[in-house]
mmCIF file of all heavy atoms in Angstrom:
data_model
loop_
_atom_site.group_PDB
_atom_site.id
_atom_site.type_symbol
_atom_site.label_atom_id
_atom_site.label_comp_id
_atom_site.label_asym_id
_atom_site.label_seq_id
_atom_site.Cartn_x
_atom_site.Cartn_y
_atom_site.Cartn_z
ATOM 1 N N LEU A 38 -5.121 19.258 28.355
ATOM 2 C CA LEU A 38 -4.142 18.895 27.417
ATOM 3 C C LEU A 38 -3.227 17.794 27.835
ATOM 4 O O LEU A 38 -2.944 16.868 27.084
ATOM 5 C CB LEU A 38 -3.268 20.164 26.922
ATOM 6 C CG LEU A 38 -2.059 19.842 25.916
ATOM 7 C CD1 LEU A 38 -2.734 19.213 24.647
ATOM 8 C CD2 LEU A 38 -1.477 21.207 25.571
ATOM 9 N N ALA A 39 -2.824 17.783 29.094
ATOM 10 C CA ALA A 39 -1.897 16.766 29.607
ATOM 11 C C ALA A 39 -2.649 15.417 29.633
ATOM 12 O O ALA A 39 -2.012 14.443 29.221
ATOM 13 C CB ALA A 39 -1.568 17.190 31.007
ATOM 14 N N HIS A 40 -3.981 15.422 29.863
ATOM 15 C CA HIS A 40 -4.607 14.167 29.821
ATOM 16 C C HIS A 40 -4.683 13.705 28.374
ATOM 17 O O HIS A 40 -4.497 12.486 28.088
ATOM 18 C CB HIS A 40 -6.166 14.342 30.294
ATOM 19 C CG HIS A 40 -6.355 14.431 31.737
ATOM 20 N ND1 HIS A 40 -6.145 13.341 32.528
ATOM 21 C CD2 HIS A 40 -6.701 15.539 32.580
ATOM 22 C CE1 HIS A 40 -6.365 13.630 33.805
ATOM 23 N NE2 HIS A 40 -6.752 14.952 33.887
ATOM 24 N N THR A 41 -5.049 14.535 27.444
ATOM 25 C CA THR A 41 -5.118 14.182 26.029
ATOM 26 C C THR A 41 -3.828 13.698 25.605
ATOM 27 O O THR A 41 -3.651 12.586 24.879
ATOM 28 C CB THR A 41 -5.561 15.464 25.179
ATOM 29 O OG1 THR A 41 -6.857 15.846 25.622
ATOM 30 C CG2 THR A 41 -5.637 15.100 23.758
ATOM 31 N N LEU A 42 -2.692 14.320 25.937
ATOM 32 C CA LEU A 42 -1.403 13.890 25.442
ATOM 33 C C LEU A 42 -1.105 12.525 26.119
ATOM 34 O O LEU A 42 -0.411 11.581 25.371
ATOM 35 C CB LEU A 42 -0.327 14.915 25.801
ATOM 36 C CG LEU A 42 -0.373 16.211 25.026
ATOM 37 C CD1 LEU A 42 0.634 17.268 25.573
ATOM 38 C CD2 LEU A 42 -0.214 15.928 23.563
ATOM 39 N N ASP A 43 -1.341 12.244 27.333
ATOM 40 C CA ASP A 43 -1.117 10.958 27.971
ATOM 41 C C ASP A 43 -1.804 9.842 27.164
ATOM 42 O O ASP A 43 -1.183 8.767 27.002
ATOM 43 C CB ASP A 43 -1.692 10.972 29.467
ATOM 44 C CG ASP A 43 -0.668 11.633 30.405
ATOM 45 O OD1 ASP A 43 0.539 11.924 29.955
ATOM 46 O OD2 ASP A 43 -0.971 11.783 31.568
ATOM 47 N N VAL A 44 -3.066 10.088 26.782
ATOM 48 C CA VAL A 44 -3.786 8.904 26.042
ATOM 49 C C VAL A 44 -3.032 8.634 24.803
ATOM 50 O O VAL A 44 -2.844 7.437 24.340
ATOM 51 C CB VAL A 44 -5.277 9.403 25.777
ATOM 52 C CG1 VAL A 44 -5.881 8.354 24.853
ATOM 53 C CG2 VAL A 44 -6.007 9.627 27.027
ATOM 54 N N LEU A 45 -2.551 9.622 23.986
ATOM 55 C CA LEU A 45 -1.893 9.444 22.731
ATOM 56 C C LEU A 45 -0.490 8.923 22.882
ATOM 57 O O LEU A 45 -0.039 7.971 22.202
ATOM 58 C CB LEU A 45 -1.917 10.762 21.961
ATOM 59 C CG LEU A 45 -3.296 11.261 21.613
ATOM 60 C CD1 LEU A 45 -3.180 12.703 21.011
ATOM 61 C CD2 LEU A 45 -3.987 10.359 20.663
ATOM 62 N N LEU A 46 0.247 9.495 23.790
ATOM 63 C CA LEU A 46 1.685 9.056 24.021
ATOM 64 C C LEU A 46 1.802 7.685 24.559
ATOM 65 O O LEU A 46 2.800 6.960 24.316
ATOM 66 C CB LEU A 46 2.348 10.055 24.989
ATOM 67 C CG LEU A 46 2.595 11.467 24.429
ATOM 68 C CD1 LEU A 46 2.998 12.395 25.650
ATOM 69 C CD2 LEU A 46 3.797 11.411 23.407
ATOM 70 N N SER A 47 0.730 7.229 25.231
ATOM 71 C CA SER A 47 0.761 5.858 25.812
ATOM 72 C C SER A 47 0.303 4.797 24.837
ATOM 73 O O SER A 47 0.232 3.647 25.167
ATOM 74 C CB SER A 47 -0.036 5.791 27.113
ATOM 75 O OG SER A 47 -1.422 6.120 26.803
ATOM 76 N N HIS A 48 -0.184 5.221 23.680
ATOM 77 C CA HIS A 48 -0.731 4.241 22.720
ATOM 78 C C HIS A 48 0.443 3.635 21.897
ATOM 79 O O HIS A 48 1.201 4.267 21.222
ATOM 80 C CB HIS A 48 -1.691 4.729 21.876
ATOM 81 C CG HIS A 48 -2.537 3.855 21.094
ATOM 82 N ND1 HIS A 48 -2.098 3.007 20.042
ATOM 83 C CD2 HIS A 48 -3.847 3.425 21.284
ATOM 84 C CE1 HIS A 48 -2.974 2.145 19.645
ATOM 85 N NE2 HIS A 48 -4.032 2.374 20.283
ATOM 86 N N ASP A 49 0.687 2.327 21.945
ATOM 87 C CA ASP A 49 1.719 1.714 21.303
ATOM 88 C C ASP A 49 1.823 1.861 19.805
ATOM 89 O O ASP A 49 2.867 1.817 19.176
ATOM 90 C CB ASP A 49 1.860 0.226 21.602
ATOM 91 C CG ASP A 49 2.064 -0.143 23.096
ATOM 92 O OD1 ASP A 49 2.684 0.777 23.675
ATOM 93 O OD2 ASP A 49 1.786 -1.272 23.468
ATOM 94 N N ASP A 50 0.652 2.051 19.134
ATOM 95 C CA ASP A 50 0.679 2.154 17.596
ATOM 96 C C ASP A 50 0.946 3.635 17.170
ATOM 97 O O ASP A 50 1.130 3.879 15.980
ATOM 98 C CB ASP A 50 -0.642 1.735 17.055
ATOM 99 C CG ASP A 50 -0.929 0.251 17.258
ATOM 100 O OD1 ASP A 50 0.156 -0.501 17.549
ATOM 101 O OD2 ASP A 50 -1.989 -0.159 17.258
ATOM 102 N N ILE A 51 0.990 4.584 18.126
ATOM 103 C CA ILE A 51 1.299 5.942 17.750
ATOM 104 C C ILE A 51 2.779 6.233 17.916
ATOM 105 O O ILE A 51 3.340 6.193 19.008
ATOM 106 C CB ILE A 51 0.530 6.915 18.594
ATOM 107 C CG1 ILE A 51 -0.992 6.800 18.283
ATOM 108 C CG2 ILE A 51 0.838 8.370 18.340
ATOM 109 C CD1 ILE A 51 -2.013 7.609 19.161
ATOM 110 N N ALA A 52 3.468 6.393 16.782
ATOM 111 C CA ALA A 52 4.903 6.527 16.763
ATOM 112 C C ALA A 52 5.395 7.939 17.178
ATOM 113 O O ALA A 52 6.417 8.103 17.852
ATOM 114 C CB ALA A 52 5.411 6.328 15.306
ATOM 115 N N HIS A 53 4.504 9.008 17.007
ATOM 116 C CA HIS A 53 4.958 10.350 17.232
ATOM 117 C C HIS A 53 3.761 11.170 17.585
ATOM 118 O O HIS A 53 2.604 10.905 16.974
ATOM 119 C CB HIS A 53 5.834 10.944 16.186
ATOM 120 C CG HIS A 53 6.779 12.097 16.635
ATOM 121 N ND1 HIS A 53 7.861 11.803 17.285
ATOM 122 C CD2 HIS A 53 6.663 13.405 16.458
ATOM 123 C CE1 HIS A 53 8.450 12.976 17.525
ATOM 124 N NE2 HIS A 53 7.708 13.877 17.083
ATOM 125 N N VAL A 54 3.880 12.250 18.325
ATOM 126 C CA VAL A 54 2.825 13.169 18.539
ATOM 127 C C VAL A 54 3.287 14.642 18.281
ATOM 128 O O VAL A 54 4.332 14.989 18.809
ATOM 129 C CB VAL A 54 2.288 13.096 20.036
ATOM 130 C CG1 VAL A 54 1.176 14.144 20.218
ATOM 131 C CG2 VAL A 54 1.801 11.730 20.372
ATOM 132 N N ILE A 55 2.561 15.332 17.391
ATOM 133 C CA ILE A 55 2.924 16.714 17.097
ATOM 134 C C ILE A 55 1.802 17.602 17.620
ATOM 135 O O ILE A 55 0.558 17.415 17.301
ATOM 136 C CB ILE A 55 2.986 16.802 15.537
ATOM 137 C CG1 ILE A 55 3.991 15.934 14.912
ATOM 138 C CG2 ILE A 55 3.279 18.299 15.218
ATOM 139 C CD1 ILE A 55 4.014 15.794 13.414
ATOM 140 N N VAL A 56 2.157 18.546 18.465
ATOM 141 C CA VAL A 56 1.220 19.432 19.056
ATOM 142 C C VAL A 56 1.447 20.807 18.328
ATOM 143 O O VAL A 56 2.548 21.299 18.239
ATOM 144 C CB VAL A 56 1.486 19.691 20.542
ATOM 145 C CG1 VAL A 56 0.316 20.430 21.208
ATOM 146 C CG2 VAL A 56 1.549 18.231 21.298
ATOM 147 N N ALA A 57 0.248 21.392 17.964
ATOM 148 C CA ALA A 57 0.284 22.684 17.329
ATOM 149 C C ALA A 57 -0.153 23.749 18.419
ATOM 150 O O ALA A 57 -1.239 23.654 19.120
ATOM 151 C CB ALA A 57 -0.703 22.869 16.241
ATOM 152 N N LEU A 58 0.742 24.779 18.828
ATOM 153 C CA LEU A 58 0.605 25.605 19.954
ATOM 154 C C LEU A 58 0.385 27.037 19.422
ATOM 155 O O LEU A 58 0.844 27.332 18.378
ATOM 156 C CB LEU A 58 1.755 25.578 20.866
ATOM 157 C CG LEU A 58 2.045 24.189 21.482
ATOM 158 C CD1 LEU A 58 3.437 24.284 22.239
ATOM 159 C CD2 LEU A 58 0.949 23.771 22.367
ATOM 160 N N HIS A 59 -0.317 27.898 20.229
ATOM 161 C CA HIS A 59 -0.505 29.319 20.031
ATOM 162 C C HIS A 59 0.873 29.864 19.976
ATOM 163 O O HIS A 59 1.780 29.600 20.864
ATOM 164 C CB HIS A 59 -1.430 29.888 21.013
ATOM 165 C CG HIS A 59 -1.921 31.236 20.651
ATOM 166 N ND1 HIS A 59 -1.102 32.328 20.866
ATOM 167 C CD2 HIS A 59 -3.027 31.585 20.128
ATOM 168 C CE1 HIS A 59 -1.758 33.410 20.389
ATOM 169 N NE2 HIS A 59 -3.027 33.054 20.006
ATOM 170 N N PRO A 60 1.082 30.886 19.133
ATOM 171 C CA PRO A 60 2.416 31.594 19.107
ATOM 172 C C PRO A 60 2.835 32.169 20.444
ATOM 173 O O PRO A 60 3.944 32.272 20.785
ATOM 174 C CB PRO A 60 2.230 32.616 18.032
ATOM 175 C CG PRO A 60 1.252 32.127 17.144
ATOM 176 C CD PRO A 60 0.186 31.302 17.937
ATOM 177 N N GLN A 61 1.764 32.570 21.270
ATOM 178 C CA GLN A 61 2.013 33.196 22.597
ATOM 179 C C GLN A 61 1.757 32.246 23.666
ATOM 180 O O GLN A 61 1.520 32.625 24.826
ATOM 181 C CB GLN A 61 1.149 34.401 22.701
ATOM 182 C CG GLN A 61 1.823 35.740 22.133
ATOM 183 C CD GLN A 61 1.460 35.796 20.691
ATOM 184 O OE1 GLN A 61 0.221 35.647 20.279
ATOM 185 N NE2 GLN A 61 2.421 36.120 19.865
ATOM 186 N N ASP A 62 1.753 30.913 23.398
ATOM 187 C CA ASP A 62 1.578 29.908 24.449
ATOM 188 C C ASP A 62 2.583 30.052 25.529
ATOM 189 O O ASP A 62 3.779 30.089 25.239
ATOM 190 C CB ASP A 62 1.489 28.561 23.886
ATOM 191 C CG ASP A 62 1.210 27.489 24.848
ATOM 192 O OD1 ASP A 62 1.946 27.222 25.756
ATOM 193 O OD2 ASP A 62 0.132 26.831 24.742
ATOM 194 N N LYS A 63 2.107 30.262 26.748
ATOM 195 C CA LYS A 63 3.206 30.302 27.815
ATOM 196 C C LYS A 63 2.974 29.239 28.897
ATOM 197 O O LYS A 63 3.397 29.279 30.043
ATOM 198 C CB LYS A 63 3.076 31.717 28.538
ATOM 199 C CG LYS A 63 1.717 32.145 29.048
ATOM 200 C CD LYS A 63 1.913 33.537 29.680
ATOM 201 C CE LYS A 63 0.541 34.019 30.214
ATOM 202 N NZ LYS A 63 -0.471 34.371 29.248
ATOM 203 N N HIS A 64 2.160 28.180 28.593
ATOM 204 C CA HIS A 64 1.883 27.136 29.579
ATOM 205 C C HIS A 64 2.413 25.753 29.222
ATOM 206 O O HIS A 64 2.716 25.067 30.079
ATOM 207 C CB HIS A 64 0.249 26.944 29.648
ATOM 208 C CG HIS A 64 -0.491 28.132 29.979
ATOM 209 N ND1 HIS A 64 -0.621 28.607 31.304
ATOM 210 C CD2 HIS A 64 -1.097 29.109 29.256
ATOM 211 C CE1 HIS A 64 -1.392 29.685 31.289
ATOM 212 N NE2 HIS A 64 -1.628 29.982 30.079
ATOM 213 N N PHE A 65 2.572 25.522 27.901
ATOM 214 C CA PHE A 65 2.934 24.128 27.424
ATOM 215 C C PHE A 65 4.250 23.566 28.023
ATOM 216 O O PHE A 65 4.277 22.472 28.440
ATOM 217 C CB PHE A 65 2.945 24.102 25.926
ATOM 218 C CG PHE A 65 3.277 22.679 25.411
ATOM 219 C CD1 PHE A 65 2.236 21.667 25.424
ATOM 220 C CD2 PHE A 65 4.503 22.313 24.977
ATOM 221 C CE1 PHE A 65 2.410 20.419 24.881
ATOM 222 C CE2 PHE A 65 4.808 21.082 24.505
ATOM 223 C CZ PHE A 65 3.778 20.127 24.517
ATOM 224 N N ASN A 66 5.207 24.458 28.004
ATOM 225 C CA ASN A 66 6.581 23.933 28.378
ATOM 226 C C ASN A 66 6.626 23.529 29.867
ATOM 227 O O ASN A 66 7.646 22.848 30.231
ATOM 228 C CB ASN A 66 7.619 24.939 28.031
ATOM 229 C CG ASN A 66 7.892 25.028 26.487
ATOM 230 O OD1 ASN A 66 7.675 23.891 25.805
ATOM 231 N ND2 ASN A 66 8.122 26.174 26.101
ATOM 232 N N ALA A 67 5.678 23.913 30.613
ATOM 233 C CA ALA A 67 5.616 23.556 32.085
ATOM 234 C C ALA A 67 4.885 22.098 32.202
ATOM 235 O O ALA A 67 5.019 21.536 33.284
ATOM 236 C CB ALA A 67 4.704 24.488 32.888
ATOM 237 N N LEU A 68 4.373 21.616 31.120
ATOM 238 C CA LEU A 68 3.792 20.315 31.247
ATOM 239 C C LEU A 68 4.844 19.212 31.287
ATOM 240 O O LEU A 68 5.803 19.293 30.536
ATOM 241 C CB LEU A 68 2.891 20.009 30.089
ATOM 242 C CG LEU A 68 1.709 20.969 29.826
ATOM 243 C CD1 LEU A 68 0.770 20.439 28.766
ATOM 244 C CD2 LEU A 68 0.805 21.044 31.167
ATOM 245 N N PRO A 69 4.731 18.241 32.163
ATOM 246 C CA PRO A 69 5.733 17.099 32.092
ATOM 247 C C PRO A 69 5.799 16.435 30.717
ATOM 248 O O PRO A 69 6.872 16.021 30.257
ATOM 249 C CB PRO A 69 5.142 16.079 33.151
ATOM 250 C CG PRO A 69 4.201 16.858 33.916
ATOM 251 C CD PRO A 69 3.646 18.021 33.106
ATOM 252 N N GLN A 70 4.711 16.411 30.030
ATOM 253 C CA GLN A 70 4.665 15.763 28.740
ATOM 254 C C GLN A 70 5.546 16.472 27.701
ATOM 255 O O GLN A 70 5.854 15.948 26.545
ATOM 256 C CB GLN A 70 3.189 15.582 28.199
ATOM 257 C CG GLN A 70 2.324 14.651 28.987
ATOM 258 C CD GLN A 70 1.772 15.307 30.206
ATOM 259 O OE1 GLN A 70 1.980 16.469 30.543
ATOM 260 N NE2 GLN A 70 0.971 14.490 31.009
ATOM 261 N N ALA A 71 5.822 17.760 27.876
ATOM 262 C CA ALA A 71 6.457 18.611 26.952
ATOM 263 C C ALA A 71 7.878 17.968 26.447
ATOM 264 O O ALA A 71 8.341 18.345 25.338
ATOM 265 C CB ALA A 71 6.605 19.997 27.416
ATOM 266 N N THR A 72 8.555 17.206 27.403
ATOM 267 C CA THR A 72 9.789 16.754 27.052
ATOM 268 C C THR A 72 9.754 15.213 26.711
ATOM 269 O O THR A 72 10.898 14.520 26.542
ATOM 270 C CB THR A 72 10.750 16.945 28.395
ATOM 271 O OG1 THR A 72 10.099 16.269 29.410
ATOM 272 C CG2 THR A 72 10.932 18.387 28.683
ATOM 273 N N HIS A 73 8.542 14.795 26.478
ATOM 274 C CA HIS A 73 8.464 13.283 26.029
ATOM 275 C C HIS A 73 9.212 13.047 24.682
ATOM 276 O O HIS A 73 9.030 13.872 23.753
ATOM 277 C CB HIS A 73 7.040 12.984 25.883
ATOM 278 C CG HIS A 73 6.771 11.494 25.862
ATOM 279 N ND1 HIS A 73 7.094 10.765 24.771
ATOM 280 C CD2 HIS A 73 6.203 10.556 26.771
ATOM 281 C CE1 HIS A 73 6.825 9.482 24.998
ATOM 282 N NE2 HIS A 73 6.288 9.338 26.216
ATOM 283 N N PRO A 74 9.983 12.074 24.529
ATOM 284 C CA PRO A 74 10.799 11.788 23.369
ATOM 285 C C PRO A 74 9.832 11.561 22.146
ATOM 286 O O PRO A 74 10.382 11.811 20.947
ATOM 287 C CB PRO A 74 11.519 10.586 23.647
ATOM 288 C CG PRO A 74 11.000 9.996 24.852
ATOM 289 C CD PRO A 74 10.291 11.092 25.638
ATOM 290 N N LYS A 75 8.646 11.283 22.301
ATOM 291 C CA LYS A 75 7.725 10.962 21.163
ATOM 292 C C LYS A 75 7.010 12.212 20.644
ATOM 293 O O LYS A 75 6.174 12.158 19.825
ATOM 294 C CB LYS A 75 6.683 9.833 21.535
ATOM 295 C CG LYS A 75 7.059 8.441 21.216
ATOM 296 C CD LYS A 75 6.022 7.343 21.589
ATOM 297 C CE LYS A 75 4.595 7.547 21.365
ATOM 298 N NZ LYS A 75 3.832 6.356 21.590
ATOM 299 N N LEU A 76 7.328 13.366 21.358
ATOM 300 C CA LEU A 76 6.580 14.574 21.108
ATOM 301 C C LEU A 76 7.330 15.732 20.470
ATOM 302 O O LEU A 76 8.510 15.959 20.796
ATOM 303 C CB LEU A 76 5.937 15.057 22.475
ATOM 304 C CG LEU A 76 5.018 16.179 22.323
ATOM 305 C CD1 LEU A 76 3.676 16.014 23.348
ATOM 306 C CD2 LEU A 76 5.595 17.528 22.656
ATOM 307 N N SER A 77 6.725 16.399 19.519
ATOM 308 C CA SER A 77 7.221 17.582 18.930
ATOM 309 C C SER A 77 6.212 18.648 18.946
ATOM 310 O O SER A 77 4.972 18.364 18.959
ATOM 311 C CB SER A 77 7.605 17.281 17.421
ATOM 312 O OG SER A 77 8.518 16.281 17.305
ATOM 313 N N GLN A 78 6.640 19.989 18.872
ATOM 314 C CA GLN A 78 5.667 21.027 18.872
ATOM 315 C C GLN A 78 5.850 21.942 17.633
ATOM 316 O O GLN A 78 7.001 22.029 17.233
ATOM 317 C CB GLN A 78 5.783 21.916 20.142
ATOM 318 C CG GLN A 78 7.095 22.429 20.537
ATOM 319 C CD GLN A 78 7.163 23.182 21.846
ATOM 320 O OE1 GLN A 78 6.703 24.294 21.848
ATOM 321 N NE2 GLN A 78 7.542 22.607 22.967
ATOM 322 N N VAL A 79 4.764 22.459 17.059
ATOM 323 C CA VAL A 79 4.869 23.356 15.974
ATOM 324 C C VAL A 79 3.976 24.523 16.373
ATOM 325 O O VAL A 79 3.107 24.497 17.323
ATOM 326 C CB VAL A 79 4.376 22.742 14.587
ATOM 327 C CG1 VAL A 79 5.263 21.628 14.221
ATOM 328 C CG2 VAL A 79 2.971 22.358 14.730
#
Side-chain angles (χ1 to χ4, degrees):
L38 177 55
H40 280 292
T41 300
L42 292 176
D43 278 352
V44 173
L45 298 170
L46 288 166
S47 63
H48 195 288
D49 291 339
D50 293 341
I51 293 176
H53 202 76
V54 178
I55 302 170
V56 187
L58 300 173
H59 192 282
Q61 276 85 45
D62 184 292
K63 52 179 185 293
H64 302 277
F65 182 76
N66 290 327
L68 300 185
Q70 293 83 358
T72 56
H73 194 290
K75 271 178 42 170
L76 187 139
S77 300
Q78 53 182 282
V79 298

